[in-house]
Amino acid sequence: MRLGVLDVGSNTVHLLVVDAHPGARPLPAHSHKAELRLAQLLDDDGAIGPDGVDRLVAVVHEALRAAEDKGVEELLPFATSAVRDAGNADDVLTRVREETGVELQVLSGDEEARLTFLAARRWFGWSAGKLLVIDIGGGSLEIAYGMDEEPDATVSLPLGAGRLTAARLPGDPPEPDGVRALRRHVRTEIARTVGEFSRFGAPDHVVATSKTFRQLARIAGAPGSAEGLYVQRELKRESLEGWVPRLAAMTAAERAELPGVSEARAGQLVAGALVAEGAMDLFGVERLEICPWALREGVILRRLDHLDQGQGAAALSP
């Protein structure tokens, strides 16, 4: 069947169309993206403003037209931290439903972590052993650890690259004092969670997902997207530590000229790099591998699992 996943994220609204059936890997057929940056459109009360809601409704309409054009049989629409944490989340969801007919399912941070972990486990397989999976989104950071397809431990923290940039790094380039303050904040928040994972022992394989990690790996020397999906890409902590001060000293325009860095994400790359560096340091990770699959693929895989079990329509969470 042809499935469509509509991901209303903190940075983008992304429609991914795949051809899939139970027992086979999903084959991408079409991708439709719109930069929205909801995590940076919150007002002083933490609500998504009227302009942001208008833009979201318009983008969902566009995605629906694209899904229809591509023959999507079933649409799996979900929203993550930008909508989840908005002070007017219920109003936003109601407006989207009434004007587009799309019922967005708001994933919790735990569900995000679990579905991303599932995608990583299916990508790397059982031979990867105990997996530690780190994902930096626009609004939140998810970490998951486990031996099976369901993680033993998960955590979701409000340390997304877009959220932190909007709230704590307003300059271009950011002020050194602001960078140092954000570094302290990030490490304090992550350090509180390390004990929840360390009791399970050291992971056999550490992987990262998300655009932030892919861009950091690329500027640190990993192969570009033109090399194909199956080329191994990794990020070493030593390389990342060398790049963090360099990125902080650049303007967004200068970062956008680096290999693999998009203009839309260049402004939030410093915050993302500080989160990546903090997570790798505090979890004792010297190197990690970039996983091509992430949350959207996890949503697809969970849906296919339900189909295979004859459950019909089901929630995205386990």
Side-chain angles (χ1 to χ4, degrees), residues 34-65:
E35 293 286 341
L36 201 54
R37 304 185 194 180
L38 286 177
Q40 300 179 42
L41 295 176
L42 303 180
D43 60 23
D44 294 338
D45 296 324
I48 300 173
D51 290 344
V53 180
D54 288 344
R55 289 168 59 187
L56 174 58
V57 169
V59 167
V60 171
H61 271 302
E62 292 175 10
L64 286 176
R65 287 193 291 270

Side-chain angles (χ1 to χ4, degrees), residues 7 61 85 104 135 188 204 212-213 222 258 262 269 273 287 313 318:
D7 175 2
H61 271 302
D85 299 335
L104 287 175
D135 178 89
T188 297
D204 298 310
T212 293
F213 270 114
L258 296 171
S262 66
L269 191 58
R287 59 172 293 276

Side-chain angles (χ1 to χ4, degrees), residues 91-113:
D91 293 338
V92 172
L93 295 171
T94 298
R95 174 100 181 270
V96 171
R97 181 179 66 251
E98 290 179 347
E99 297 196 24
T100 70
V102 172
E103 186 84 41
L104 287 175
Q105 180 173 345
V106 179
L107 298 180
S108 68
D110 177 72
E111 289 167 341
E112 280 194 61

